[in-house]
Amino acid sequence: MAEENVIYIGKKATMNYVLAVVSQINNGCNDVCIKARGRAISRAVDVAEIVRHRFVKDLGYKDVKIETEVLPGEHGETANVSSIEIYMER
Amino acid sequence: MAEENVIYIGKKATMNYVLAVVSQINNGCNDVCIKARGRAISRAVDVAEIVRHRFVKDLGYKDVKIETEVLPGEHGETANVSSIEIYMER
């Protein structure tokens, strides 16, 4: 999937990301990927469900991937963080 | 899936749920379902990844379902809450 079809979920309000996904689809993309790590995972699921139920009703789930990313910590150690990738298409 | 194979993720520490899933599998279940709603969704993903990477290395994802549940609110209104169901099997 092209990098511009990926929406990364961070700490902003949920509706910011909903708007980003909806704009992406209105620009002609028929598939998007919503990615998040750690606590933002819950927000990613909210974004997907809000888009699907309120804005783009023919959008469905293609695949949901769950993984662990190893991030470098502050003092040379590493931290494991769960991540989710939600693939959606019309 | 039998109700006893379902682990509901709440507000306890992550490792409590990891232990519950691992016990379930050690008792002979070859498939489990991890369910969570709202902010506990991130914890559910952590539980699945910790079990898979540290305790039951031949466990994999069978399916991940994302939905919206409509809960009755305090004053007769309703609240929409996202939910996740993570199906795992060896």
Side-chain angles (χ1 to χ4, degrees):
Chain A
M1 181 176 291
E3 186 63 25
E4 64 264 25
N5 295 6
V6 179
I7 311 285
Y8 291 92
I9 307 299
K11 293 184 176 177
K12 290 185 201 165
T14 303
M15 291 310 283
N16 290 44
Y17 302 108
V18 169
L19 186 66
V21 175
V22 172
S23 312
Q24 199 67 26
I25 290 165
N26 287 344
N27 285 339
C29 288
N30 284 324
D31 52 354
V32 291
C33 174
I34 298 171
K35 287 193 187 185
R37 286 201 290 230
R39 290 202 205 157
I41 289 175
S42 310
R43 187 170 297 126
V45 171
D46 285 342
V47 169
E49 282 293 286
I50 291 170
V51 170
R52 197 167 73 94
H53 281 108
R54 282 204 231 156
F55 295 99
V56 190
K57 305 212 169 174
D58 56 349
L59 201 69
Y61 294 109
K62 191 163 71 175
D63 197 13
V64 179
K65 283 189 192 158
I66 291 174
E67 276 165 14
T68 297
E69 294 184 18
V70 181
L71 303 179
E74 287 176 15
H75 306 288
E77 80 290 10
T78 58
N80 293 329
V81 181
S82 303
S83 70
I84 198 167
E85 297 179 4
I86 306 174
Y87 294 88
M88 306 184 81
E89 67 180 354
R90 347 169 74 145
Chain B
M1 182 176 290
E3 187 63 22
E4 65 263 26
N5 295 7
V6 180
I7 311 286
Y8 291 91
I9 307 299
K11 294 184 176 177
K12 290 186 202 164
T14 303
M15 291 310 283
N16 291 43
Y17 302 108
V18 169
L19 186 67
V21 175
V22 173
S23 313
Q24 200 67 25
I25 290 164
N26 287 344
N27 285 339
C29 287
N30 284 325
D31 52 354
V32 291
C33 173
I34 299 171
K35 287 193 188 186
R37 285 200 292 229
R39 290 203 205 155
I41 289 175
S42 309
R43 186 170 296 126
V45 171
D46 285 343
V47 169
E49 282 293 287
I50 292 170
V51 170
R52 196 166 74 93
H53 281 109
R54 283 204 230 157
F55 296 98
V56 191
K57 304 211 172 178
D58 56 350
L59 201 67
Y61 294 110
K62 192 163 69 173
D63 197 12
V64 179
K65 284 189 192 159
I66 292 174
E67 278 166 12
T68 297
E69 293 185 18
V70 180
L71 302 179
E74 286 176 15
H75 306 289
E77 80 292 8
T78 58
N80 293 329
V81 181
S82 304
S83 69
I84 198 168
E85 296 179 5
I86 305 173
Y87 294 88
M88 307 185 80
E89 67 180 354
R90 349 171 71 149

